[in-house]
Amino acid sequence: MKIGAPKETARGEARVALTPESAQHIKKLGHECLIEAGAGEAAGFDDDAYREAGVTVVDGAQALWEAADVVIKVREPSEEEAGFLRQGQTLISFFWPAQSEELLEKCRAQGATVIAMDMVPRISRAQKMDALSSMANIAGYRAVIEAGNNFGRFFTGQVTAAGKVPPAKVLVIGAGVAGLSAIGTAASLGAVVRAFDVRPEVAEQIESMGAEFLFLEFDESQDGAETGGYAAPSSPEFREKQLALFREQAPDVDIVITTALIPGKPAPKLWLEDMVKAMKPGSVIVDLAAEKGGNCDLTVPDERVVSDNGVIVIGYTDFPSRMATQASLLYATNVRHMLNDLTPEKDGAIVHDMEDDVIRGATVTHAGEITFPPPPPKVKAIASAKPKPKVKEPTPEEKRAAEHAAFLAQTKRQVTMLGVGGLLMLLLGQVAPVSFMQHFIVFALACFVGFQVIWGVSHSLHTPLMAVTNAISSIIILGAILQIGSGSFLVILMSALSVLIASINIVGGFQVTRRMLAMFQKS
């Protein structure tokens, strides 16, 4: 089939759904790739790059829509583009069906199949098609860059001859993909980062990235995870506690990045006007939910506004498009993975399997019917979990008592093993010949002494695996040394060779281990 990517018509949109790299993968599925002339220029891909990748460049949007069996886009289609759809044609793009009822109905009436990339269920198997996460990752990173561009100070603290500069304090509201990306970027720039999320199970992720999780004490069981991996609406009581926490943070933080979105609903208002008034002049608010109304009362979509007290509120809705090349590469990869699932035989034939959880979940119109909303996925995306309680550190007395108990237990085991071994040796001596017992006792002593000598060395000097190999080598050495006094020349020769080879193994093992440990040591 022919896969076509038109030029995006939305104002300020620089991304493209097909890149030369993704086109090569799509061609391996048996499809032919088309692109509208100039569609990739804003993202850094000129028409010649597409031609070199074997993509047919088509002049004009209408000609492309008429030629393509499957149209891949970034933004939802305009009214004009929806009119280009025809019976049996497939459209793959962001669509936002809950907010686009009229557009959804028009696509149904046209008889087209629409796959909404924003409706891909957040289950493990669909991660490679999760375009929302791909774009959110870029948006979170870019939000910190935009905040730094508008913030009048360093992110990291500095001590200079002219005085001390404190680090910037950043608050990230929402620890989804965009939030975690913002946390990681801000922390890497040296800022003091705090983060809040209604899902307590993300606390460990936040703390692992070097940020402080603002835990909200609340009696009611609050499970903020909804089927699909998104946050669920909060109860009124929880919301009041949440707003109180934000009011407490407002005078102290320098930068606020809000990322809270609930699918199918306007963005919740979390940073109210009184919080903005409480912030210091020169502070920055970056609202990643501006396209859906914004989390801040003062957010104006696509604009940068300054409050009466000098707080900068950024409501840009094109953060991924501001990094168009990277965003296009990631989005095109998500789309070609979707096409890979739609082409199971890799023969260029689209198979729209409505029994497949991923395809069914993303499909919003099919066979002349509206299939939105989809049934919930069979497997919940993120299992809700309560934060793990912190383990109380034992006191020094408790540590000594535990160590003494462990020592006694180990001594008891060793005495028992020696007693059992001695008894078995006595019983064996009653029936075995004298010559066998001499060699057997040498072997047993070599095993015991060699193991104790090597295993007693701290693992900071060698790895556990190397300890075992060195223990075996030491057994060989001790056994060979005891046999060197033998009257047989052949036994003496073999013993000497054994000592030499085992010694090389031990020395070499310690050398390799030292190099391995040096890799993890700071210079």
Side-chain angles (χ1 to χ4, degrees):
M1 287 194 173
K2 295 180 179 180
I3 313 296
K7 185 176 182 178
E8 297 297 323
T9 58
R11 182 172 63 89
E13 182 56 69
R15 291 171 291 177
V16 64
L18 181 72
T19 64
E21 180 184 353
S22 69
Q24 293 176 352
H25 290 281
I26 292 173
K27 286 170 62 180
K28 292 178 181 178
L29 298 175
H31 300 297
E32 180 184 349
C33 295
L34 315 175
I35 192 163
E36 183 183 348
E41 287 182 358
F45 308 108
D46 58 24
D47 292 344
D48 289 337
Y50 285 106
R51 291 189 181 99
E52 290 177 5
V55 180
T56 303
V57 179
V58 179
D59 291 325
Q62 185 172 354
L64 183 131
W65 284 80
E66 290 175 354
D69 300 303
V70 179
V71 177
I72 56 177
K73 277 179 50 58
V74 179
R75 295 268 188 165
E76 64 272 20
S78 63
E79 287 291 326
E80 180 184 10
E81 289 173 327
F84 291 152
L85 288 169
R86 64 177 184 271
Q87 183 76 31
Q89 194 173 35
T90 299
L91 170 66
I92 302 176
S93 72
F94 284 116
F95 199 87
W96 313 108
Q99 291 87 30
S100 311
E101 293 183 5
E102 293 183 5
L103 185 61
L104 191 65
E105 176 59 32
K106 184 169 185 178
C107 293
R108 182 206 64 78
Q110 297 288 100
T113 295
V114 177
I115 296 176
M117 293 300 291
D118 50 285
M119 290 300 298
V120 171
R122 285 186 166 175
I123 57 179
S124 297
R125 188 168 64 84
Q127 287 181 352
K128 60 186 178 182
M129 308 171 216
D130 191 354
L132 280 178
S133 293
S134 297
M135 298 303 102
N137 182 32
I138 294 175
Y141 173 85
R142 186 70 188 193
V144 177
I145 302 303
E146 292 291 342
N149 187 45
N150 287 272
F151 187 54
R153 296 206 321 266
F154 294 120
F155 267 73
T156 184
Q158 291 190 7
V159 178
T160 69
K164 184 179 179 181
V165 180
K169 296 178 181 178
V170 178
L171 172 62
V172 179
I173 300 177
V177 176
L180 291 174
S181 178
I183 291 168
T185 305
S188 67
L189 291 174
V192 175
V193 186
R194 304 164 188 170
F196 174 82
D197 196 282
V198 297
R199 300 164 297 170
E201 64 267 19
V202 302
E204 290 184 359
Q205 298 179 45
I206 291 170
E207 291 170 354
S208 69
M209 300 187 75
E212 176 190 356
F213 178 65
L214 300 179
F215 185 74
L216 189 62
E217 294 289 346
F218 192 63
D219 293 336
E220 178 183 338
S221 176
Q222 173 67 26
D223 181 10
E226 186 177 49
T227 298
Y230 301 93
S234 304
S235 66
E237 295 81 8
F238 184 87
R239 174 176 167 79
E240 289 304 316
K241 290 278 189 180
Q242 181 177 265
L243 295 179
L245 175 65
F246 295 159
R247 287 190 179 95
E248 181 183 336
Q249 293 291 321
D252 190 42
V253 296
D254 302 303
I255 295 172
V256 177
I257 298 175
T258 66
T259 70
L261 281 172
I262 299 172
K265 296 180 175 62
K269 296 296 181 183
L270 299 176
W271 204 259
L272 308 184
E273 187 173 357
D274 65 297
M275 302 175 192
V276 178
K277 291 180 179 178
M279 297 179 73
K280 299 183 289 288
S283 299
V284 180
I285 300 171
V286 182
D287 195 340
L288 291 180
E291 191 170 8
K292 301 304 176 185
N295 298 134
C296 177
D297 278 345
L298 273 63
T299 297
V300 178
D302 295 313
E303 292 187 19
R304 172 190 182 273
V305 299
V306 182
S307 68
D308 294 337
N309 61 323
V311 176
I312 301 168
V313 183
I314 298 173
Y316 301 150
T317 60
D318 60 346
F319 285 104
S321 191
R322 288 170 182 257
M323 299 179 66
T325 302
Q326 184 65 72
S328 298
L329 288 169
L330 293 179
Y331 180 74
T333 300
N334 296 140
V335 171
R336 65 107 168 162
H337 279 305
M338 176 63 76
L339 288 169
N340 186 70
D341 273 26
L342 288 168
T343 318
E345 301 299 327
K346 296 180 174 54
D347 56 355
I350 296 293
V351 178
H352 202 98
D353 183 9
M354 293 295 277
E355 297 299 319
D356 186 292
D357 274 350
V358 178
I359 295 174
R360 174 64 187 90
T363 303
V364 294
T365 69
H366 181 63
E369 296 182 359
I370 294 176
T371 58
F372 173 81
K378 297 182 178 69
V379 180
K380 194 172 181 180
I382 301 175
S384 60
K386 295 181 179 179
K388 295 180 180 179
K390 293 185 177 180
V391 179
K392 183 182 177 182
E393 286 290 330
T395 63
E397 292 77 11
E398 291 174 338
K399 288 182 179 180
R400 284 195 293 269
E403 291 173 357
H404 182 67
F407 174 76
L408 290 178
Q410 182 180 9
T411 303
K412 184 178 179 180
R413 285 195 301 270
Q414 291 178 343
V415 171
T416 302
M417 291 175 63
L418 286 173
V420 172
L423 179 60
L424 292 175
M425 194 74 69
L426 178 63
L427 294 175
L428 184 62
Q430 300 296 319
V431 295
V434 175
S435 59
F436 172 80
M437 288 304 298
Q438 289 178 344
H439 291 291
F440 185 76
I441 290 173
V442 169
F443 174 74
L445 288 175
C447 290
F448 178 77
V449 175
F451 181 83
Q452 292 297 327
V453 167
I454 297 299
W455 197 257
V457 178
S458 172
H459 286 171
S460 61
L461 300 179
H462 61 177
T463 63
L465 177 61
M466 200 61 70
V468 175
T469 58
N470 285 348
I472 295 173
S473 298
S474 66
I475 292 170
I476 295 172
I477 288 176
L478 289 173
I481 289 174
L482 291 172
Q483 293 297 323
I484 285 179
S486 173
S488 171
F489 174 76
L490 181 60
V491 172
I492 295 174
L493 178 63
M494 295 298 294
S495 299
L497 287 174
S498 299
V499 171
L500 176 63
I501 295 173
S503 300
I504 293 173
N505 187 44
I506 292 176
V507 174
F510 275 109
Q511 290 292 332
V512 171
T513 303
R514 189 173 67 176
R515 291 186 180 182
M516 291 172 58
L517 295 174
M519 295 171 62
F520 299 94
Q521 294 174 349
K522 293 183 179 180
S523 58

